[in-house]
Amino acid sequence: MKYALFTGCAAKGACPELYQSAVKVAQILGIELEELKSAACCGAGVMKEGDPDLSLAINARTFAQAEEKGLPVMTICGTCQGVLSSANKNLKEDAPTRERINTMLAPDGIAYRGTTEVKHLLWVLIQDVGLDKLRHAVKRSLAGLRVAPFYGCYILRPSKDLGFDDPNNPTSLEKLITALGGERIDYSGRIKCCGFPLILEKESMALAMGGGNTAEAKREGADCMVTPCPLCHMSLDIYQERAERQLGERLDMPIFHLPQLVGLALGLSEKDLGLSHHLVSVDAALQKIERQT
Amino acid sequence: MRATFAIQKFNPEIDARPHLEEYRLDVAWRGNTVLDGLFQIKHQLDGSLTFRASCRSAICGSCPMVINGRERLACQTLIADEIDRSGRIEVKPLRQLRVVKDLVVEMDPFWNKVNAITPWLTPKREAAFVRHARGEIGEVVIPQNVHQTFYNVDACILCGACVSACNSLDVSPGFLGPAALAKAYRFVADPREGERRERLERLTREDGIWDCVRCNFCVEVCPKDVQPMEAIIRLRREAIREGLTEHPGATHITAFMDIVRREGRLNEARMPLAMVWPNLFRMLKILPLGLKMFVKGKVPSFFQRPIKGIREIRRLFKLRETFK
């Protein structure tokens, strides 16, 4: 199990705890990682708005780097996964497009043949590591912890490009939570948008989305939420206090990155998982696990 | 095959609130649609059940509803598929629109938004086809590659499924919404259109193209593969090309790309600053949160070293000349 790690920008920027916990969890589960250090930003759906071909070319460059190493790519960001999945499908299935993009890359001696696979850590955990192995690796069961899964848009939609979960009724996070011993919370917001793309442009709309979904999870009895996307994490964690002010209600909802939740069950320490980076304290959730053990 | 339908019933003249009612029926064959099932219920079990339907072939757009949690045309959804996937069939009216009775919703707000984008062509004064009509020139053909840019948008049957699923409309009811904006793109992209810039100016105002959160729900639920979000993205691109770059949404794109051109990665310390620069008031407004993030080690260095191979990225930018 070896992957070329595409960290994405957030894990190297505002969410260092995501990078650090993903690397630690991978180590324990025997997922070997070789970081794509010279890979550029996936574009986050924003660059595509400006110039679709430029965005494709930059991503083809990334795929070519992994192709050269002979490794599949692993992402740790839902948004990166969505953007890369769409770009890769386009480049793989549409030969004229691939040719056009390769012509752009040719002066630097880069060519993408269309053989790279791109997988999110969540998919790797379920497909390649396997839930059985994960269950056996659990050192500190999450029993009693009620976890609300929050998928984020890009890891689910457009489903014809992603093709892993059912976009209307995804199950991978639920399976994972259960395998770690936790209790999963069902609520309609789990497949909705966190609002992040509008957070710098129209904060009130973004907060209504992120805060609204968090409030729903709370009403359904969640102790914490878990997300495979750092942009969702920023929206739900960093902006939670502002969402509380707008909604006029307390949320106090700890938000975990996917590898942090896995890491907790694998027995990693708070420091290993970088939990002190969060704006919303995760202590209440941690106490719940500790009380069990 | 036996099938259980759970249908949301609501008669505002009698009921205080909507409620689910269960119906069990024998489905004659596996090819029956949810719409067939609704007719069967109406004919055999409950004559009061109210819904809209017409063509039964996914072309009139009358029967969108929320079937097992997702917007679909009842006439295009097989009972057998839903039973296989979910065990039963739960049917509710479209969201975002007022329920008139049972599965029928008030469509006026939907039509008003479609009307608001001027859903007809405003031809150029001396458009080729006008001159053709006057007999001054011969037949004028729109090249296929031009038509291709909006042919799928033309396929919209105005059913409202996308509007029901839209996450932005959820929190901002005034938003023009996916169907109307996709329609708007159809006219902006038409080479015969005479008021392209005026249209883009209107569309970049409040409640327009910049309020889409790119959640992809509309793309997912559209029964005709119109991909409204992709049309909105194209409108944004056209607006920037037209020089309509004042809106924060446009700044977001240009600033984002400028940072990637310089560093190869998004710098999350620079991005928010680029959005509010040089407005001092707005800079002060983002300061408290920025400080909190800084304390938690969530603000990366303002001066980051570019990625290895940044030359390649800059060359690509230069090649496209997207931004200087």
Side-chain angles (χ1 to χ4, degrees), chain A residues 35-63:
Chain A
E35 195 175 318
L36 289 168
K37 289 220 162 109
S38 55
C41 170
C42 74
V46 178
M47 292 233 287
K48 181 180 133 182
E49 295 187 298
D51 184 339
D53 266 14
L54 178 62
S55 179
L56 264 184
I58 290 175
N59 288 326
R61 175 180 170 271
T62 302
F63 300 146

Side-chain angles (χ1 to χ4, degrees), chain A residues 9 13-14 17 38 40-41 48-49 51 61 104 108 154 157-159 168 193 201-202 241 277, chain B residues 70 167 206 211 214-215 217 220 230 236-237 252 264 266 268 292 296 298 308 312 315 320 322:
Chain A
C9 305
E17 71 279 6
S38 55
C41 170
K48 181 180 133 182
E49 295 187 298
D51 184 339
R61 175 180 170 271
M104 290 171 67
D108 286 313
Y154 276 86
R157 292 175 296 271
S159 57
N168 302 317
C193 180
E201 300 163 35
K202 205 163 185 183
E241 198 187 320
H277 285 293
Chain B
R70 199 72 285 147
N167 275 217
E206 189 74 10
D211 279 3
R214 282 190 272 114
C215 69
F217 265 98
E220 205 64 53
E230 295 297 330
R236 289 177 170 184
R237 199 180 303 140
H252 189 218
L266 186 68
E268 282 153 333
K292 275 183 200 158
K296 294 287 186 175
K298 277 188 163 285
K308 226 176 89 198
E312 295 163 15
R315 192 187 58 75
R320 298 292 298 173
T322 310

Side-chain angles (χ1 to χ4, degrees), chain A residues 209-250:
Chain A
M209 291 184 200
N213 293 327
T214 309
E216 192 199 358
K218 194 179 177 74
R219 277 197 303 278
E220 297 300 327
D223 298 317
C224 63
M225 291 165 83
V226 64
T227 176
C229 178
L231 308 193
C232 295
H233 192 274
M234 286 193 253
S235 184
L236 302 177
D237 175 68
I238 295 177
Y239 282 85
Q240 195 175 115
E241 198 187 320
R242 288 169 97 101
E244 284 177 333
R245 236 176 291 155
Q246 181 171 310
L247 293 170
E249 86 183 79
R250 286 302 294 267

